[in-house]
Amino acid sequence: MRFYTFFLSLIVAVAAMAAGSDHYTVIVSLDGFRWDYPEAFDTPFLEQYFVKHGVKAVMMPSFPSKTFPNHYTLATGLYPDHHGILANKFKIRSTGKIYSLSKSETRSDPQYYGGDPIWLTARRQGVITATVYWVGSDVPIKGGYANYWKNYQTKPLLTFDERVNEVVRLLSLPEAERPHLVMAYFEEPDHAGHNNGPVTMATRRSVEHLDSLLSGLWHRIQSLPHGTQVNLIVTGDHGMTWLSRYRLIRPSYYLKDEWVERIDGDYPALITARKPKYIDDIVRALQDVPHLRAWKRGELPSYLHYGTHENTADVVVLPDVGWTFGEKAPTIQGSHGFDHTCSDMLVAFRAVGPDFKQGYVREQYFRNVCVYPLLAHLLGVEPSPNDGSLAEVQDLLR
């Protein structure tokens, strides 16, 4: 019986090791990390190093290609339509409140965050987890947090250098306290892309600085006694495209004031009708307008995976890439949120470490809902129900 128990324990241990649970995974999100930035700029780490020693791929965000919906999709493996963070700003039907990333009352309310973020999935199964400003990680989802977490509402925020130091500190903790998952968020190059446009000197400087910063992080990780057991993933939430003040579609040219209660957001624009009877009027008025598409709630095309959640707006208006649906011309040079399948919205994905292939360049993009089951596999935990597929990214693994 003792031999049988020992043999069974050995099988379980070997299976856990095969699943990667003895390894560590660090995932870094660079906000607005468009798929071609590493190729367009001088990024010896994100381009040459990963091409030689790891995995290079392109990832498709979920619709809408916005920051909060996609970071929470990366964490849960659910489309925004299924986890509930439908946009950076949207109306909550049951209360009339407005969820907004800049409004702490709703942003920090766990009732709006559906699904099971990986830091909770893994923690419940005995894996120590840590987050550094990841979207949703400072919200008590299901009453819990990662073992280690940072509050994005507490200012000043850690600088980028300090965030790198924090990741290294977490991985340097004693083994019994050390997280096997670390998720870190950086606001750039999103700000540079918005303010200056995607392919500019300012965005180049931002991306090249991040390349240097992450190279330093990786080399510090490799110098740890367990450095060879660490996987590093670098990706983002969405891409970036050029805007123009001349590509403007004014709602007032087509819609009557009596029809519209409010319009939230821009790409897409989310329209709340004053009365249900005006919904069809709004859609009809917009259906033949060049450079945009408009749909009633529940009637969006299936490839968007959007429009069935109870908080979906009455009408969803999606301008063509680079066009703006609003009364004022954009004052920024770049933005995102457009059709997630267009090339400017796609995201770079890089991975290196003991569980990933070396020198592997994937030709076809994959969906970002697959990151959650990938992380669960690397951590050796059972994933919660999700919209992703490990099989879709299995080729990235050894």
Side-chain angles (χ1 to χ4, degrees):
M1 179 61 71
R2 258 184 259 159
F3 175 77
Y4 173 78
T5 303
F6 170 77
F7 187 66
L8 183 61
S9 301
L10 184 61
I11 291 175
V12 171
V14 169
M17 290 176 66
S21 63
D22 64 326
H23 293 161
Y24 303 84
T25 295
V26 176
I27 178 168
V28 173
S29 173
L30 307 180
D31 201 321
F33 188 34
R34 202 170 87 166
W35 72 274
D36 57 347
Y37 281 172
E39 298 177 7
F41 306 133
D42 185 14
T43 57
F45 180 62
L46 290 168
E47 187 63 16
Q48 289 92 342
Y49 184 88
F50 277 93
V51 168
K52 183 177 180 180
H53 299 285
V55 167
K56 172 184 175 179
V58 175
M59 186 177 71
M60 183 175 67
S62 295
F63 182 81
S65 47
K66 290 287 193 180
T67 297
F68 265 50
N70 276 279
H71 273 100
Y72 200 57
T73 287
L74 290 168
T76 62
L78 297 175
Y79 292 118
D81 200 44
H82 296 160
H83 63 55
I85 306 301
L86 302 177
N88 288 346
K89 185 178 182 180
F90 59 91
K91 183 178 179 180
I92 301 153
R93 287 184 179 272
S94 61
T95 63
K97 292 181 178 180
I98 303 301
Y99 174 96
S100 173
L101 58 85
S102 60
K103 191 174 181 180
S104 61
E105 177 191 0
T106 50
R107 180 205 171 279
S108 301
D109 192 332
Q111 70 174 303
Y112 305 122
Y113 294 79
D116 191 35
I118 189 65
W119 57 82
L120 296 184
T121 304
R123 184 174 183 179
R124 277 199 314 273
Q125 298 179 51
V127 176
I128 300 175
T129 60
T131 58
V132 184
Y133 299 138
W134 198 277
V135 169
S137 65
D138 55 353
V139 178
I141 299 166
K142 298 181 178 179
Y145 303 91
N147 298 80
Y148 307 96
W149 59 281
K150 294 289 183 183
N151 191 342
Y152 200 82
Q153 305 300 301
T154 301
K155 302 298 188 289
L157 297 175
L158 296 180
T159 66
F160 286 3
D161 286 328
E162 289 170 337
R163 295 180 205 191
V164 167
N165 292 339
E166 176 65 5
V167 172
V168 175
R169 184 192 72 82
L170 289 164
L171 291 175
S172 303
L173 291 172
E175 186 174 0
E177 305 169 21
R178 189 183 306 149
H180 277 250
L181 173 68
V182 181
M183 306 177 72
Y185 167 73
F186 293 77
E187 294 89 347
E188 288 287 0
D190 186 68
H191 289 169
H194 278 301
N195 294 332
N196 304 281
V199 186
T200 58
M201 285 303 299
T203 304
R204 170 187 284 272
R205 286 192 293 269
S206 176
V207 173
E208 291 178 358
H209 172 65
L210 289 163
D211 182 77
S212 176
L213 203 68
L214 293 174
S215 177
L217 169 63
W218 180 239
H219 285 95
R220 290 175 66 183
I221 289 173
Q222 290 298 284
S223 69
L224 296 172
H226 49 283
T228 57
Q229 296 175 264
V230 180
N231 297 302
L232 174 65
I233 297 171
V234 181
T235 190
D237 49 355
H238 53 70
M240 185 71 63
T241 197
W242 287 97
L243 296 179
S244 169
R245 63 191 309 271
Y246 301 107
R247 294 196 293 263
L248 179 67
I249 304 165
R250 299 182 189 274
S252 60
Y253 286 7
Y254 305 97
L255 305 179
K256 296 179 181 180
D257 287 343
E258 65 192 69
W259 294 350
V260 179
E261 176 186 310
R262 61 182 296 121
I263 300 177
D264 291 305
D266 40 26
Y267 325 104
L270 308 177
I271 300 179
T272 301
R274 290 192 186 277
K275 296 180 180 179
K277 66 179 182 179
Y278 295 135
I279 295 175
D280 286 333
D281 294 321
I282 294 170
V283 173
R284 277 195 298 266
L286 296 175
Q287 66 183 359
D288 294 322
V289 177
H291 303 297
L292 65 76
R293 292 175 287 168
W295 304 282
K296 290 168 58 174
R297 175 189 177 204
E299 296 184 359
L300 280 76
S302 60
Y303 83 94
L304 294 176
H305 300 283
Y306 195 84
T308 65
H309 192 278
E310 63 179 350
N311 289 329
T312 304
D314 295 325
V315 179
V316 178
V317 180
L318 181 62
D320 286 351
V321 176
W323 285 77
T324 298
F325 181 73
E327 294 301 327
K328 297 181 179 179
T331 57
I332 54 178
Q333 302 302 310
S335 198
H336 50 89
F338 301 98
D339 190 319
H340 65 304
T341 64
C342 80
S343 61
D344 282 0
M345 295 300 103
L346 300 180
V347 184
F349 182 93
R350 301 289 186 270
V352 66
D355 291 306
F356 290 98
K357 289 179 178 175
Q358 290 188 18
Y360 181 64
V361 178
R362 178 179 170 128
E363 297 298 328
Q364 295 182 324
Y365 59 70
F366 64 88
R367 300 172 299 149
N368 70 346
V369 290
C370 299
V371 170
Y372 172 85
L374 173 63
L375 293 174
H377 171 80
L378 295 173
L379 298 170
V381 299
E382 184 68 25
S384 293
N386 63 87
D387 297 315
S389 166
L390 180 62
E392 192 171 325
V393 289
Q394 189 75 48
D395 62 304
L396 307 178
L397 301 168
R398 296 192 187 204

